Amino acid sequence: MSEWTRIRYDRPAERVARITLARPEAANAQDYLMLSELNEAFDEASRDDNIRVIVLAADGNHFSSGHDLRDDPDMADVEPVGTQCHFEAEGAEGYMAREAEMYVGLCWRWRNIPKPTIASVQGKVIAGGLMLVWPMDMIVCSDDATFSDPVVAFGVNGHEYFVHPYEAGQRLAKDMLFTGRSISASEALQHGMVNRVVAREQLESETLALASHIAKRPMFGLTLAKQSVNNSMDAMGMYTSIQSAFGLHHVGHNHNRLVHGSLVDPEGVHVIRSEA
Ligand code: ZN
């Protein structure tokens, strides 16, 4: 096991692994290192024959404020696990490859782990934060949880793992994207976007109770059930939709480069802050 600095890993119940985002001082903002460590931890839990259910939790008041773009993310910090290449190439090529590897590629990899996964969510989940929550199979959240993807203000279509219509339904997806507003835990429950809403102080115990309940079932049955639901989503075009939207996402990034000289519209941050 590597020396992880952005996450923690433990086994809080029989047959249950828990990965915890451990950067609360930055509201669990995700840099490339955190994403890489998360992937290593998911691999560890996947390959452990004594683990049947994986929980993804977070330290602190907020699950995740999204991608940490304060420092220019550096692929030298991480070991790619996909087949992307030319990460430092000029033009659209390098940045598209980096987002394909670190964002869409990892999300899709985690979505297809052949064991049940549960997100345990409190506080704010913003943009890239949803890219950790939505690839999980089930979502338990506290009643103070809120979910938003405000990045249309940056002149792109939404965050890179574009599954909003599948996760929230098309009306709420458009509402979230057009307005950038946060939806509450109860609204998310009403739209089938989360499985359970619990009191903040019961989030950990309720999540582990659910994980332990699931973990009594045979591994292969759980794997077959998961794959069958995932196949149904794929039959509705989920993967093709993600790839289609990812292409449009990069039309947005490259439009911004041509017009503003940056990947995102610099006015976006003022729009978002004025509505916070
Ligand atoms: Zn992007």
Side-chain angles (χ1 to χ4, degrees):
M1 189 185 295
S2 311
E3 289 285 314
W4 292 322
T5 61
R6 300 284 197 263
I7 62 160
R8 287 184 289 106
Y9 184 98
D10 68 341
R11 297 171 58 166
E14 194 178 354
R15 297 172 178 158
V16 176
R18 177 171 56 189
I19 303 165
T20 304
L21 309 178
R23 210 185 171 202
E25 69 283 2
N28 295 311
Q30 309 156 38
D31 55 10
Y32 280 4
L33 182 60
M34 178 187 272
L35 292 169
S36 182
E37 289 183 0
L38 271 173
N39 188 63
E40 289 175 11
F42 276 122
D43 276 358
E44 170 123 356
S46 299
R47 291 166 186 166
D48 185 339
D49 289 343
N50 296 312
I51 297 299
R52 292 190 189 172
V53 179
I54 307 168
V55 170
L56 178 62
D59 286 340
N61 292 329
H62 301 295
F63 183 85
S64 178
S65 59
H67 296 143
D68 185 349
L69 302 173
R70 285 173 304 172
D71 305 316
D72 191 27
D74 191 346
M75 289 301 291
D77 291 344
V78 300
E79 188 69 36
V81 294
T83 52
Q84 300 297 324
C85 55
H86 303 145
F87 296 114
E88 307 306 325
E90 292 182 355
E93 186 180 6
Y95 197 67
M96 193 167 184
R98 285 156 67 176
E99 292 205 338
E101 167 68 29
M102 297 307 298
Y103 298 159
V104 177
L106 290 181
C107 288
W108 192 248
R109 200 165 190 271
W110 303 334
R111 182 266 194 181
N112 290 316
I113 290 169
K115 296 182 178 182
T117 54
I118 304 173
S120 183
V121 179
Q122 77 279 9
K124 290 185 178 175
V125 181
I126 303 173
L130 282 167
M131 292 171 55
L132 302 184
V133 172
W134 280 344
M136 301 297 104
D137 297 314
M138 296 183 71
I139 303 168
V140 180
C141 72
S142 59
D143 49 18
D144 67 347
T146 63
F147 306 86
S148 67
D149 182 9
V151 303
V152 171
F154 290 135
V156 291
N157 48 352
H159 64 58
E160 290 81 5
Y161 182 65
F162 198 95
V163 291
H164 308 61
Y166 290 88
E167 298 290 349
Q170 65 159 326
R171 300 285 170 216
L172 185 56
K174 287 173 178 168
D175 186 341
M176 289 175 75
L177 292 165
F178 294 172
T179 67
R181 76 181 176 89
S182 295
I183 64 168
S184 66
S186 61
E187 189 174 4
L189 183 65
Q190 186 189 331
H191 287 266
M193 206 198 86
V194 301
N195 295 90
R196 316 255 196 286
V197 178
V198 301
R200 175 74 183 82
E201 55 272 22
Q202 276 152 9
L203 179 62
E204 180 179 12
S205 59
E206 292 283 340
T207 302
L208 293 182
L210 175 63
S212 294
H213 182 102
I214 294 169
K216 289 182 192 140
R217 279 146 180 78
M219 187 72 264
F220 196 40
L222 292 168
T223 299
L224 296 176
K226 172 167 182 167
Q227 191 154 12
S228 298
V229 176
N230 281 1
N231 289 350
S232 301
M233 302 305 284
D234 295 346
M236 290 188 277
M238 188 168 173
Y239 186 70
T240 307
S241 302
I242 293 168
Q243 294 302 324
S244 169
F246 186 57
L248 296 178
H249 182 84
H250 277 269
V251 171
H253 276 321
N254 289 293
H255 173 79
N256 290 329
R257 271 187 165 150
L258 290 167
V259 175
H260 305 295
S262 60
L263 288 163
V264 298
D265 185 332
E267 282 302 305
V269 68
H270 305 300
V271 172
I272 292 169
R273 279 191 188 146
S274 71
E275 296 169 348

